[in-house]
Each structure stands twice: as structure tokens, then as C-alpha cells.
Amino acid sequence: MFNEKRAAQMAAYLLRKHGGKMSASKLMTLMYLSDRKSLELHGEPISGDNYTYVRNEPAPEHHDLVDKKE
């Protein structure tokens, strides 16, 4: 189940680790990879979001929270 707070914390962490700036598409790809690795290691994703493809890149179902004008 999607957890908006955990998704926001994950996005903030990734942004912090990359100097505070990155494109929305890169952020969504890193969120996807993080959720996939968490699922592999712990049996559950971090954000609980479902992923689809937008512009040929992985994007969380709730990408409208991330995908603002770059």
C-alpha cells in the first residue's frame, strides 16, 4: 500500500545524497531502483507504490507528486 510519507522521505534522502538537485525522471528512476532493491532484500518496497512507464522510464503510480516542471 502506498505510503506518501515514506515516499517523500525516500525522495528527500535521494535528493540530499545527490546535492539537492536532480531531474524528476532521474529521481523517479532512483526511487524505482530503491523500491526494487528493498523488495529483494526485505520482501517489501520502501514507498509501497506501484510502478509504470512514463516517457519510456520507470515512474511511480503517484508520479504526479514528483513530476513537476523540471
Side-chain angles (χ1 to χ4, degrees):
M1 177 177 270
F2 177 65
N3 184 319
E4 187 173 346
K5 181 178 179 182
R6 287 178 73 181
Q9 289 171 337
M10 178 170 53
Y13 174 82
L14 292 167
L15 283 166
R16 209 171 30 253
K17 286 294 190 179
H18 288 85
K21 281 186 139 180
M22 74 174 72
S23 69
S25 62
K26 182 173 181 176
L27 177 59
M28 289 187 287
T29 298
L30 290 173
M31 290 176 73
Y32 165 76
L33 293 171
S34 298
D35 268 340
R36 197 170 98 181
K37 190 64 169 179
S38 177
L39 185 61
E40 176 187 317
L41 294 175
H42 307 290
E44 66 178 288
I46 297 167
S47 71
D49 210 345
N50 295 311
Y51 287 84
T52 186
Y53 278 84
V54 174
R55 296 182 301 267
N56 296 323
E57 297 177 353
E61 191 173 272
H62 295 88
H63 66 88
D64 56 318
L65 299 174
V66 173
D67 195 16
K68 303 296 179 192
K69 290 186 180 183
E70 297 182 31

